[in-house]
Amino acid sequence: MSSPTVKLNSGYDMPLVGFGLWKVNNDTCADQVYAAIKAGYRLFDGACDYGNEKEVGQGIARAIKDGLVKREELFIVSKLWNTFHDGDKVEPIARKQLDDLGLDYFDLYLIHFPVALKWVDPAERYPPGWTAPDGKVEFSKATIQETWQAMESLVDKKLSRSIGISNFSVQLIMDLLRHARIRPATLQIEHHPYLQQKELIKYVQSEGIVITAYSSFGPLSFIELDMSSAHNTPKLFDHDVIKSTSQKHGKTPAQILLRWATQRNIAVIPKSNDPTRLSQNLDVTGWSLEQSDIDAINGLDLGLRFNDPLNYGIYIPIFA
Ligand SMILES: NC(=O)c1ccc[n+]([C@@H]2O[C@H](COP(=O)([O-])OP(=O)(O)OC[C@H]3O[C@@H](n4cnc5c(N)ncnc54)[C@H](OP(=O)(O)O)[C@@H]3O)[C@@H](O)[C@H]2O)c1
């Protein structure tokens, strides 16, 4: 099974379905990446912050060595962490991340959050996280314009084929588009039936930027983190609308949630540690929900966000 692709404004084709690498444990990561490539995944969504890029690189290297895939058939995504927003810090960290991955270019490199934090030397702490060891948040003065210009120079130097953003609001994107020499190819956002962000998606798609949804299963990913709001929210898989749509189409609730996105040209990057679920999550194109199914799921919006720094006890209210 493989995924269809979507054309980016950079001219490159991006798989509509990929594999998410957040919370993939270091000891199993290389094997999981290898297994995912074997199952047909071509896009891998990683980040400095996930702390597993060396292992991701090992899985990729083994799959290439064994002839499962060629580098140019893969679509490798990574992200710039908040502590590397200063203009002169972007290229060095991108090069370190590429080195960890054993690659010479990213297919797509995203600004992970519109939050500039004080630089942390990777030799001292890596990945650096949100706070200093004493729990304090220390900001940098880098503007999004300064960071974006450094991102653009990664494209000029062929270190990344496309560049994009994540967790940005419409206000920030409007500002970014006023100065961008290279437009963002994608915006990656939390998106599931409980957090639909309809106007953000409409605006961004109208600007020719592809949306990638993360945490497509809503609270599930955050139950793993023991987040109280996730524990207190009914699971999407148990919701009557999702369950009945699942029975109607003979697909799992997970597949319904992913198809609800891909059918609207929104890319998805589910993460699974389980081989059966991993294959199942790839089978979310090539069959269709009816408009009435989509309308019913559209009716579940609660404006409920889980991946907010505030929910991790960090006072950076970017989504206020
Ligand atoms: N840009 C950002 O700020 C940001 C933030 C969050 C996530 N992301 C990206 O988005 C990716 C996906 O989001 P996510 O990791 O939050 O969570 P997710 O993919 O929505 O959910 C993962 C959870 O769902 C379970 N699961 C996966 N497939 C399943 C299936 N078919 N049936 C039942 N359960 C299933 C997994 O358990 P098992 O592993 O046991 O199957 C895990 O508990 C991340 O890995 C990361 O790459 C980006």
Side-chain angles (χ1 to χ4, degrees), residues 20-22 45 50 79 112-113 166-167 188 214-217 220-221 224 237 254 269-274 277 280-281 307:
L21 292 160
W22 185 35
D45 182 79
Y50 303 162
K79 309 186 191 87
H112 204 150
F113 284 93
S166 179
N167 299 304
Q188 189 177 119
Y214 72 71
S215 304
S216 298
F217 307 138
L220 195 56
S221 176
E224 284 181 352
F237 290 173
I269 43 173
K271 164 262 170 189
S272 180
N273 288 330
D274 175 90
R277 295 196 281 272
Q280 185 190 113
N281 293 346
N307 197 44

PDB file of all heavy atoms in Angstrom, residues 20-22 45 50 79 112-113 166-167 188 214-217 220-221 224 237 254 269-274 277 280-281 307, ligand 1:
ATOM      1  N   GLY A  20       4.114   9.628  11.778  1.00  0.00           N
ATOM      2  CA  GLY A  20       4.548  10.600  12.789  1.00  0.00           C
ATOM      3  C   GLY A  20       5.552   9.986  13.746  1.00  0.00           C
ATOM      4  O   GLY A  20       5.398   8.838  14.177  1.00  0.00           O
ATOM      5  N   LEU A  21       6.568  10.745  14.102  1.00  0.00           N
ATOM      6  CA  LEU A  21       7.678  10.185  14.892  1.00  0.00           C
ATOM      7  C   LEU A  21       7.739  10.665  16.331  1.00  0.00           C
ATOM      8  O   LEU A  21       8.664  10.306  17.071  1.00  0.00           O
ATOM      9  CB  LEU A  21       9.003  10.497  14.178  1.00  0.00           C
ATOM     10  CG  LEU A  21       9.178   9.763  12.849  1.00  0.00           C
ATOM     11  CD1 LEU A  21      10.224  10.449  11.970  1.00  0.00           C
ATOM     12  CD2 LEU A  21       9.547   8.305  13.079  1.00  0.00           C
ATOM     13  N   TRP A  22       6.762  11.462  16.735  1.00  0.00           N
ATOM     14  CA  TRP A  22       6.737  11.935  18.136  1.00  0.00           C
ATOM     15  C   TRP A  22       6.410  10.757  19.055  1.00  0.00           C
ATOM     16  O   TRP A  22       5.494   9.976  18.761  1.00  0.00           O
ATOM     17  CB  TRP A  22       5.666  13.022  18.288  1.00  0.00           C
ATOM     18  CG  TRP A  22       5.603  13.673  19.632  1.00  0.00           C
ATOM     19  CD1 TRP A  22       6.647  13.947  20.473  1.00  0.00           C
ATOM     20  CD2 TRP A  22       4.412  14.156  20.292  1.00  0.00           C
ATOM     21  NE1 TRP A  22       6.171  14.581  21.606  1.00  0.00           N
ATOM     22  CE2 TRP A  22       4.810  14.714  21.524  1.00  0.00           C
ATOM     23  CE3 TRP A  22       3.055  14.168  19.958  1.00  0.00           C
ATOM     24  CZ2 TRP A  22       3.909  15.282  22.420  1.00  0.00           C
ATOM     25  CZ3 TRP A  22       2.156  14.730  20.848  1.00  0.00           C
ATOM     26  CH2 TRP A  22       2.582  15.294  22.067  1.00  0.00           C
ATOM     27  N   ASP A  45       7.545  12.206   9.564  1.00  0.00           N
ATOM     28  CA  ASP A  45       7.445  13.521  10.170  1.00  0.00           C
ATOM     29  C   ASP A  45       8.193  13.549  11.495  1.00  0.00           C
ATOM     30  O   ASP A  45       7.709  13.036  12.506  1.00  0.00           O
ATOM     31  CB  ASP A  45       5.965  13.885  10.404  1.00  0.00           C
ATOM     32  CG  ASP A  45       5.844  15.271  10.997  1.00  0.00           C
ATOM     33  OD1 ASP A  45       5.962  16.242  10.224  1.00  0.00           O
ATOM     34  OD2 ASP A  45       5.689  15.395  12.227  1.00  0.00           O
ATOM     35  N   TYR A  50      11.820  15.659  19.095  1.00  0.00           N
ATOM     36  CA  TYR A  50      11.406  14.277  19.378  1.00  0.00           C
ATOM     37  C   TYR A  50      12.586  13.429  19.875  1.00  0.00           C
ATOM     38  O   TYR A  50      12.388  12.307  20.347  1.00  0.00           O
ATOM     39  CB  TYR A  50      10.755  13.623  18.139  1.00  0.00           C
ATOM     40  CG  TYR A  50       9.556  14.395  17.613  1.00  0.00           C
ATOM     41  CD1 TYR A  50       9.071  14.183  16.323  1.00  0.00           C
ATOM     42  CD2 TYR A  50       8.906  15.354  18.391  1.00  0.00           C
ATOM     43  CE1 TYR A  50       7.980  14.903  15.832  1.00  0.00           C
ATOM     44  CE2 TYR A  50       7.826  16.079  17.910  1.00  0.00           C
ATOM     45  CZ  TYR A  50       7.373  15.859  16.633  1.00  0.00           C
ATOM     46  OH  TYR A  50       6.311  16.576  16.142  1.00  0.00           O
ATOM     47  N   LYS A  79      11.850  19.597  11.837  1.00  0.00           N
ATOM     48  CA  LYS A  79      11.399  20.909  12.335  1.00  0.00           C
ATOM     49  C   LYS A  79      12.499  21.625  13.107  1.00  0.00           C
ATOM     50  O   LYS A  79      13.289  20.981  13.813  1.00  0.00           O
ATOM     51  CB  LYS A  79      10.173  20.735  13.237  1.00  0.00           C
ATOM     52  CG  LYS A  79       9.068  19.914  12.605  1.00  0.00           C
ATOM     53  CD  LYS A  79       7.794  19.856  13.413  1.00  0.00           C
ATOM     54  CE  LYS A  79       6.859  18.808  12.839  1.00  0.00           C
ATOM     55  NZ  LYS A  79       7.073  17.447  13.356  1.00  0.00           N
ATOM     56  N   HIS A 112       8.791  24.883  14.005  1.00  0.00           N
ATOM     57  CA  HIS A 112       7.920  24.030  14.830  1.00  0.00           C
ATOM     58  C   HIS A 112       6.840  24.847  15.543  1.00  0.00           C
ATOM     59  O   HIS A 112       5.670  24.460  15.554  1.00  0.00           O
ATOM     60  CB  HIS A 112       8.793  23.276  15.855  1.00  0.00           C
ATOM     61  CG  HIS A 112       8.189  22.015  16.366  1.00  0.00           C
ATOM     62  ND1 HIS A 112       8.931  20.945  16.772  1.00  0.00           N
ATOM     63  CD2 HIS A 112       6.906  21.643  16.565  1.00  0.00           C
ATOM     64  CE1 HIS A 112       8.133  19.970  17.178  1.00  0.00           C
ATOM     65  NE2 HIS A 112       6.895  20.379  17.068  1.00  0.00           N
ATOM     66  N   PHE A 113       7.248  25.964  16.152  1.00  0.00           N
ATOM     67  CA  PHE A 113       6.298  26.864  16.841  1.00  0.00           C
ATOM     68  C   PHE A 113       6.717  28.308  16.565  1.00  0.00           C
ATOM     69  O   PHE A 113       7.926  28.578  16.456  1.00  0.00           O
ATOM     70  CB  PHE A 113       6.336  26.656  18.366  1.00  0.00           C
ATOM     71  CG  PHE A 113       5.646  25.422  18.853  1.00  0.00           C
ATOM     72  CD1 PHE A 113       6.356  24.245  19.031  1.00  0.00           C
ATOM     73  CD2 PHE A 113       4.287  25.427  19.145  1.00  0.00           C
ATOM     74  CE1 PHE A 113       5.725  23.086  19.492  1.00  0.00           C
ATOM     75  CE2 PHE A 113       3.651  24.275  19.609  1.00  0.00           C
ATOM     76  CZ  PHE A 113       4.370  23.109  19.778  1.00  0.00           C
ATOM     77  N   SER A 166       4.492  25.593  11.414  1.00  0.00           N
ATOM     78  CA  SER A 166       3.599  24.774  12.224  1.00  0.00           C
ATOM     79  C   SER A 166       3.099  25.605  13.400  1.00  0.00           C
ATOM     80  O   SER A 166       3.843  26.445  13.924  1.00  0.00           O
ATOM     81  CB  SER A 166       4.362  23.542  12.726  1.00  0.00           C
ATOM     82  OG  SER A 166       3.524  22.749  13.531  1.00  0.00           O
ATOM     83  N   ASN A 167       1.862  25.366  13.787  1.00  0.00           N
ATOM     84  CA  ASN A 167       1.266  26.045  14.942  1.00  0.00           C
ATOM     85  C   ASN A 167       1.204  27.560  14.770  1.00  0.00           C
ATOM     86  O   ASN A 167       1.300  28.298  15.758  1.00  0.00           O
ATOM     87  CB  ASN A 167       2.027  25.679  16.231  1.00  0.00           C
ATOM     88  CG  ASN A 167       1.968  24.187  16.520  1.00  0.00           C
ATOM     89  OD1 ASN A 167       0.889  23.619  16.619  1.00  0.00           O
ATOM     90  ND2 ASN A 167       3.122  23.534  16.614  1.00  0.00           N
ATOM     91  N   GLN A 188       1.476  22.924   9.404  1.00  0.00           N
ATOM     92  CA  GLN A 188       1.101  21.730  10.191  1.00  0.00           C
ATOM     93  C   GLN A 188       0.392  22.182  11.468  1.00  0.00           C
ATOM     94  O   GLN A 188       0.921  23.020  12.213  1.00  0.00           O
ATOM     95  CB  GLN A 188       2.368  20.922  10.519  1.00  0.00           C
ATOM     96  CG  GLN A 188       2.044  19.578  11.127  1.00  0.00           C
ATOM     97  CD  GLN A 188       3.264  18.721  11.401  1.00  0.00           C
ATOM     98  OE1 GLN A 188       3.532  18.360  12.544  1.00  0.00           O
ATOM     99  NE2 GLN A 188       4.003  18.370  10.370  1.00  0.00           N
ATOM    100  N   TYR A 214      -2.035  17.171  12.521  1.00  0.00           N
ATOM    101  CA  TYR A 214      -1.406  16.289  13.504  1.00  0.00           C
ATOM    102  C   TYR A 214      -2.398  15.961  14.627  1.00  0.00           C
ATOM    103  O   TYR A 214      -3.404  16.648  14.782  1.00  0.00           O
ATOM    104  CB  TYR A 214      -0.081  16.861  14.025  1.00  0.00           C
ATOM    105  CG  TYR A 214      -0.098  18.046  14.965  1.00  0.00           C
ATOM    106  CD1 TYR A 214      -0.535  17.931  16.279  1.00  0.00           C
ATOM    107  CD2 TYR A 214       0.402  19.274  14.563  1.00  0.00           C
ATOM    108  CE1 TYR A 214      -0.500  19.006  17.156  1.00  0.00           C
ATOM    109  CE2 TYR A 214       0.439  20.364  15.434  1.00  0.00           C
ATOM    110  CZ  TYR A 214      -0.011  20.223  16.730  1.00  0.00           C
ATOM    111  OH  TYR A 214       0.024  21.286  17.602  1.00  0.00           O
ATOM    112  N   SER A 215      -2.098  14.891  15.352  1.00  0.00           N
ATOM    113  CA  SER A 215      -2.972  14.403  16.435  1.00  0.00           C
ATOM    114  C   SER A 215      -4.397  14.193  15.927  1.00  0.00           C
ATOM    115  O   SER A 215      -5.377  14.639  16.552  1.00  0.00           O
ATOM    116  CB  SER A 215      -2.931  15.350  17.641  1.00  0.00           C
ATOM    117  OG  SER A 215      -1.598  15.520  18.088  1.00  0.00           O
ATOM    118  N   SER A 216      -4.516  13.478  14.815  1.00  0.00           N
ATOM    119  CA  SER A 216      -5.811  13.257  14.147  1.00  0.00           C
ATOM    120  C   SER A 216      -6.807  12.498  15.013  1.00  0.00           C
ATOM    121  O   SER A 216      -7.994  12.495  14.715  1.00  0.00           O
ATOM    122  CB  SER A 216      -5.600  12.455  12.863  1.00  0.00           C
ATOM    123  OG  SER A 216      -4.785  13.160  11.978  1.00  0.00           O
ATOM    124  N   PHE A 217      -6.305  11.796  16.051  1.00  0.00           N
ATOM    125  CA  PHE A 217      -7.216  11.018  16.892  1.00  0.00           C
ATOM    126  C   PHE A 217      -7.613  11.787  18.152  1.00  0.00           C
ATOM    127  O   PHE A 217      -8.128  11.214  19.108  1.00  0.00           O
ATOM    128  CB  PHE A 217      -6.586   9.661  17.251  1.00  0.00           C
ATOM    129  CG  PHE A 217      -6.108   8.883  16.047  1.00  0.00           C
ATOM    130  CD1 PHE A 217      -4.896   8.202  16.079  1.00  0.00           C
ATOM    131  CD2 PHE A 217      -6.863   8.851  14.879  1.00  0.00           C
ATOM    132  CE1 PHE A 217      -4.448   7.496  14.959  1.00  0.00           C
ATOM    133  CE2 PHE A 217      -6.417   8.148  13.760  1.00  0.00           C
ATOM    134  CZ  PHE A 217      -5.205   7.475  13.801  1.00  0.00           C
ATOM    135  N   LEU A 220      -6.478  10.950  22.209  1.00  0.00           N
ATOM    136  CA  LEU A 220      -5.734   9.696  22.389  1.00  0.00           C
ATOM    137  C   LEU A 220      -4.235   9.918  22.633  1.00  0.00           C
ATOM    138  O   LEU A 220      -3.653   9.354  23.559  1.00  0.00           O
ATOM    139  CB  LEU A 220      -5.948   8.806  21.159  1.00  0.00           C
ATOM    140  CG  LEU A 220      -5.560   7.351  21.305  1.00  0.00           C
ATOM    141  CD1 LEU A 220      -6.268   6.702  22.483  1.00  0.00           C
ATOM    142  CD2 LEU A 220      -5.891   6.587  20.020  1.00  0.00           C
ATOM    143  N   SER A 221      -3.620  10.750  21.793  1.00  0.00           N
ATOM    144  CA  SER A 221      -2.184  10.969  21.891  1.00  0.00           C
ATOM    145  C   SER A 221      -1.808  11.604  23.233  1.00  0.00           C
ATOM    146  O   SER A 221      -0.700  11.399  23.730  1.00  0.00           O
ATOM    147  CB  SER A 221      -1.751  11.882  20.741  1.00  0.00           C
ATOM    148  OG  SER A 221      -0.400  12.203  20.846  1.00  0.00           O
ATOM    149  N   GLU A 224      -1.650   9.369  26.514  1.00  0.00           N
ATOM    150  CA  GLU A 224      -0.309   8.795  26.722  1.00  0.00           C
ATOM    151  C   GLU A 224       0.540   9.687  27.618  1.00  0.00           C
ATOM    152  O   GLU A 224       1.430   9.227  28.306  1.00  0.00           O
ATOM    153  CB  GLU A 224       0.426   8.659  25.380  1.00  0.00           C
ATOM    154  CG  GLU A 224      -0.024   7.518  24.504  1.00  0.00           C
ATOM    155  CD  GLU A 224       0.782   7.433  23.183  1.00  0.00           C
ATOM    156  OE1 GLU A 224       1.583   8.337  22.861  1.00  0.00           O
ATOM    157  OE2 GLU A 224       0.603   6.450  22.486  1.00  0.00           O
ATOM    158  N   PHE A 237     -12.858   7.603  19.199  1.00  0.00           N
ATOM    159  CA  PHE A 237     -13.147   6.261  18.683  1.00  0.00           C
ATOM    160  C   PHE A 237     -14.470   5.718  19.234  1.00  0.00           C
ATOM    161  O   PHE A 237     -15.084   4.850  18.631  1.00  0.00           O
ATOM    162  CB  PHE A 237     -12.028   5.271  19.063  1.00  0.00           C
ATOM    163  CG  PHE A 237     -10.716   5.498  18.350  1.00  0.00           C
ATOM    164  CD1 PHE A 237      -9.588   4.766  18.715  1.00  0.00           C
ATOM    165  CD2 PHE A 237     -10.592   6.415  17.312  1.00  0.00           C
ATOM    166  CE1 PHE A 237      -8.370   4.958  18.059  1.00  0.00           C
ATOM    167  CE2 PHE A 237      -9.375   6.620  16.669  1.00  0.00           C
ATOM    168  CZ  PHE A 237      -8.266   5.887  17.050  1.00  0.00           C
ATOM    169  N   ALA A 254     -10.311   4.781  13.461  1.00  0.00           N
ATOM    170  CA  ALA A 254      -9.078   5.519  13.120  1.00  0.00           C
ATOM    171  C   ALA A 254      -9.077   5.873  11.629  1.00  0.00           C
ATOM    172  O   ALA A 254      -8.746   7.000  11.229  1.00  0.00           O
ATOM    173  CB  ALA A 254      -7.857   4.677  13.469  1.00  0.00           C
ATOM    174  N   ILE A 269      -0.456  12.425   9.434  1.00  0.00           N
ATOM    175  CA  ILE A 269       0.820  11.811   9.841  1.00  0.00           C
ATOM    176  C   ILE A 269       0.627  11.006  11.127  1.00  0.00           C
ATOM    177  O   ILE A 269       1.294  11.256  12.141  1.00  0.00           O
ATOM    178  CB  ILE A 269       1.908  12.905  10.023  1.00  0.00           C
ATOM    179  CG1 ILE A 269       1.322  14.133  10.778  1.00  0.00           C
ATOM    180  CG2 ILE A 269       2.503  13.314   8.687  1.00  0.00           C
ATOM    181  CD1 ILE A 269       2.353  15.180  11.161  1.00  0.00           C
ATOM    182  N   PRO A 270      -0.286  10.004  11.099  1.00  0.00           N
ATOM    183  CA  PRO A 270      -0.528   9.236  12.321  1.00  0.00           C
ATOM    184  C   PRO A 270       0.721   8.493  12.777  1.00  0.00           C
ATOM    185  O   PRO A 270       1.546   8.093  11.966  1.00  0.00           O
ATOM    186  CB  PRO A 270      -1.610   8.237  11.900  1.00  0.00           C
ATOM    187  CG  PRO A 270      -1.449   8.106  10.421  1.00  0.00           C
ATOM    188  CD  PRO A 270      -1.018   9.463   9.948  1.00  0.00           C
ATOM    189  N   LYS A 271       0.799   8.325  14.096  1.00  0.00           N
ATOM    190  CA  LYS A 271       1.899   7.552  14.680  1.00  0.00           C
ATOM    191  C   LYS A 271       1.319   6.271  15.270  1.00  0.00           C
ATOM    192  O   LYS A 271       0.280   6.304  15.932  1.00  0.00           O
ATOM    193  CB  LYS A 271       2.582   8.401  15.754  1.00  0.00           C
ATOM    194  CG  LYS A 271       3.484   7.625  16.701  1.00  0.00           C
ATOM    195  CD  LYS A 271       2.762   7.317  17.983  1.00  0.00           C
ATOM    196  CE  LYS A 271       3.517   6.345  18.855  1.00  0.00           C
ATOM    197  NZ  LYS A 271       2.714   5.882  20.004  1.00  0.00           N
ATOM    198  N   SER A 272       1.941   5.157  15.001  1.00  0.00           N
ATOM    199  CA  SER A 272       1.553   3.942  15.704  1.00  0.00           C
ATOM    200  C   SER A 272       2.763   3.061  15.961  1.00  0.00           C
ATOM    201  O   SER A 272       3.633   2.915  15.104  1.00  0.00           O
ATOM    202  CB  SER A 272       0.511   3.147  14.926  1.00  0.00           C
ATOM    203  OG  SER A 272       0.194   1.982  15.681  1.00  0.00           O
ATOM    204  N   ASN A 273       2.782   2.469  17.150  1.00  0.00           N
ATOM    205  CA  ASN A 273       3.852   1.529  17.499  1.00  0.00           C
ATOM    206  C   ASN A 273       3.480   0.107  17.108  1.00  0.00           C
ATOM    207  O   ASN A 273       4.259  -0.813  17.313  1.00  0.00           O
ATOM    208  CB  ASN A 273       4.102   1.559  19.012  1.00  0.00           C
ATOM    209  CG  ASN A 273       4.789   2.843  19.438  1.00  0.00           C
ATOM    210  OD1 ASN A 273       5.545   3.432  18.680  1.00  0.00           O
ATOM    211  ND2 ASN A 273       4.521   3.284  20.657  1.00  0.00           N
ATOM    212  N   ASP A 274       2.258  -0.067  16.574  1.00  0.00           N
ATOM    213  CA  ASP A 274       1.743  -1.409  16.334  1.00  0.00           C
ATOM    214  C   ASP A 274       1.706  -1.701  14.824  1.00  0.00           C
ATOM    215  O   ASP A 274       1.166  -0.905  14.049  1.00  0.00           O
ATOM    216  CB  ASP A 274       0.322  -1.460  16.924  1.00  0.00           C
ATOM    217  CG  ASP A 274      -0.358  -2.764  16.642  1.00  0.00           C
ATOM    218  OD1 ASP A 274      -0.216  -3.674  17.466  1.00  0.00           O
ATOM    219  OD2 ASP A 274      -1.018  -2.875  15.589  1.00  0.00           O
ATOM    220  N   ARG A 277      -1.865  -1.613  13.167  1.00  0.00           N
ATOM    221  CA  ARG A 277      -2.424  -0.259  13.092  1.00  0.00           C
ATOM    222  C   ARG A 277      -1.642   0.601  12.109  1.00  0.00           C
ATOM    223  O   ARG A 277      -2.206   1.426  11.393  1.00  0.00           O
ATOM    224  CB  ARG A 277      -2.441   0.379  14.482  1.00  0.00           C
ATOM    225  CG  ARG A 277      -3.380  -0.338  15.443  1.00  0.00           C
ATOM    226  CD  ARG A 277      -3.683   0.500  16.662  1.00  0.00           C
ATOM    227  NE  ARG A 277      -2.628   0.489  17.655  1.00  0.00           N
ATOM    228  CZ  ARG A 277      -2.524  -0.403  18.629  1.00  0.00           C
ATOM    229  NH1 ARG A 277      -3.408  -1.375  18.741  1.00  0.00           N
ATOM    230  NH2 ARG A 277      -1.542  -0.347  19.503  1.00  0.00           N
ATOM    231  N   GLN A 280      -2.954  -0.258   8.758  1.00  0.00           N
ATOM    232  CA  GLN A 280      -4.335   0.232   8.675  1.00  0.00           C
ATOM    233  C   GLN A 280      -4.371   1.746   8.397  1.00  0.00           C
ATOM    234  O   GLN A 280      -5.157   2.230   7.582  1.00  0.00           O
ATOM    235  CB  GLN A 280      -4.951  -0.073  10.038  1.00  0.00           C
ATOM    236  CG  GLN A 280      -6.383   0.208  10.233  1.00  0.00           C
ATOM    237  CD  GLN A 280      -6.712   0.065  11.727  1.00  0.00           C
ATOM    238  OE1 GLN A 280      -7.029   1.058  12.367  1.00  0.00           O
ATOM    239  NE2 GLN A 280      -6.635  -1.132  12.288  1.00  0.00           N
ATOM    240  N   ASN A 281      -3.468   2.480   9.050  1.00  0.00           N
ATOM    241  CA  ASN A 281      -3.473   3.941   8.930  1.00  0.00           C
ATOM    242  C   ASN A 281      -3.053   4.417   7.542  1.00  0.00           C
ATOM    243  O   ASN A 281      -3.257   5.573   7.187  1.00  0.00           O
ATOM    244  CB  ASN A 281      -2.548   4.570   9.981  1.00  0.00           C
ATOM    245  CG  ASN A 281      -3.068   4.373  11.391  1.00  0.00           C
ATOM    246  OD1 ASN A 281      -4.227   4.007  11.582  1.00  0.00           O
ATOM    247  ND2 ASN A 281      -2.211   4.614  12.382  1.00  0.00           N
ATOM    248  N   ASN A 307      -2.627  20.227  22.296  1.00  0.00           N
ATOM    249  CA  ASN A 307      -1.187  20.512  22.216  1.00  0.00           C
ATOM    250  C   ASN A 307      -0.916  22.015  22.372  1.00  0.00           C
ATOM    251  O   ASN A 307      -0.565  22.693  21.416  1.00  0.00           O
ATOM    252  CB  ASN A 307      -0.627  20.001  20.887  1.00  0.00           C
ATOM    253  CG  ASN A 307       0.886  19.894  20.930  1.00  0.00           C
ATOM    254  OD1 ASN A 307       1.451  19.406  21.917  1.00  0.00           O
ATOM    255  ND2 ASN A 307       1.566  20.378  19.895  1.00  0.00           N
TER     256      ASN A 307
HETATM  257  N1  LIG B   1       3.861  20.180  14.833  1.00  0.00           N
HETATM  258  C1  LIG B   1       3.551  19.848  16.069  1.00  0.00           C
HETATM  259  O1  LIG B   1       3.577  20.668  17.004  1.00  0.00           O
HETATM  260  C2  LIG B   1       3.119  18.435  16.361  1.00  0.00           C
HETATM  261  C3  LIG B   1       2.471  18.129  17.571  1.00  0.00           C
HETATM  262  C4  LIG B   1       2.023  16.817  17.798  1.00  0.00           C
HETATM  263  C5  LIG B   1       2.239  15.840  16.837  1.00  0.00           C
HETATM  264  N2  LIG B   1       2.916  16.161  15.673  1.00  0.00           N
HETATM  265  C6  LIG B   1       3.188  15.131  14.654  1.00  0.00           C
HETATM  266  O2  LIG B   1       1.989  14.426  14.362  1.00  0.00           O
HETATM  267  C7  LIG B   1       2.182  13.027  14.572  1.00  0.00           C
HETATM  268  C8  LIG B   1       0.864  12.367  14.982  1.00  0.00           C
HETATM  269  O3  LIG B   1       0.306  12.960  16.108  1.00  0.00           O
HETATM  270  P1  LIG B   1       0.351  12.267  17.535  1.00  0.00           P
HETATM  271  O4  LIG B   1       1.592  11.474  17.658  1.00  0.00           O
HETATM  272  O5  LIG B   1       0.037  13.327  18.521  1.00  0.00           O
HETATM  273  O6  LIG B   1      -0.834  11.298  17.603  1.00  0.00           O
HETATM  274  P2  LIG B   1      -1.842  10.451  16.745  1.00  0.00           P
HETATM  275  O7  LIG B   1      -1.208   9.892  15.557  1.00  0.00           O
HETATM  276  O8  LIG B   1      -3.079  11.256  16.610  1.00  0.00           O
HETATM  277  O9  LIG B   1      -2.205   9.327  17.806  1.00  0.00           O
HETATM  278  C9  LIG B   1      -1.293   8.427  18.291  1.00  0.00           C
HETATM  279  C10 LIG B   1      -2.034   7.519  19.251  1.00  0.00           C
HETATM  280  O10 LIG B   1      -3.058   6.794  18.540  1.00  0.00           O
HETATM  281  C11 LIG B   1      -2.824   5.386  18.659  1.00  0.00           C
HETATM  282  N3  LIG B   1      -3.159   4.812  17.341  1.00  0.00           N
HETATM  283  C12 LIG B   1      -2.508   5.008  16.175  1.00  0.00           C
HETATM  284  N4  LIG B   1      -3.131   4.382  15.168  1.00  0.00           N
HETATM  285  C13 LIG B   1      -4.211   3.743  15.694  1.00  0.00           C
HETATM  286  C14 LIG B   1      -5.232   2.939  15.156  1.00  0.00           C
HETATM  287  N5  LIG B   1      -5.292   2.639  13.862  1.00  0.00           N
HETATM  288  N6  LIG B   1      -6.174   2.438  16.002  1.00  0.00           N
HETATM  289  C15 LIG B   1      -6.134   2.725  17.318  1.00  0.00           C
HETATM  290  N7  LIG B   1      -5.184   3.509  17.893  1.00  0.00           N
HETATM  291  C16 LIG B   1      -4.230   4.023  17.090  1.00  0.00           C
HETATM  292  C17 LIG B   1      -1.382   5.260  19.031  1.00  0.00           C
HETATM  293  O11 LIG B   1      -1.167   4.102  19.795  1.00  0.00           O
HETATM  294  P3  LIG B   1      -0.185   2.938  19.270  1.00  0.00           P
HETATM  295  O12 LIG B   1       1.141   3.575  18.992  1.00  0.00           O
HETATM  296  O13 LIG B   1      -0.173   1.973  20.395  1.00  0.00           O
HETATM  297  O14 LIG B   1      -0.821   2.382  18.017  1.00  0.00           O
HETATM  298  C18 LIG B   1      -1.171   6.500  19.884  1.00  0.00           C
HETATM  299  O15 LIG B   1      -1.688   6.278  21.193  1.00  0.00           O
HETATM  300  C19 LIG B   1       3.304  12.998  15.628  1.00  0.00           C
HETATM  301  O16 LIG B   1       3.908  11.732  15.736  1.00  0.00           O
HETATM  302  C20 LIG B   1       4.200  14.084  15.106  1.00  0.00           C
HETATM  303  O17 LIG B   1       4.978  13.622  14.022  1.00  0.00           O
HETATM  304  C21 LIG B   1       3.325  17.437  15.428  1.00  0.00           C
END
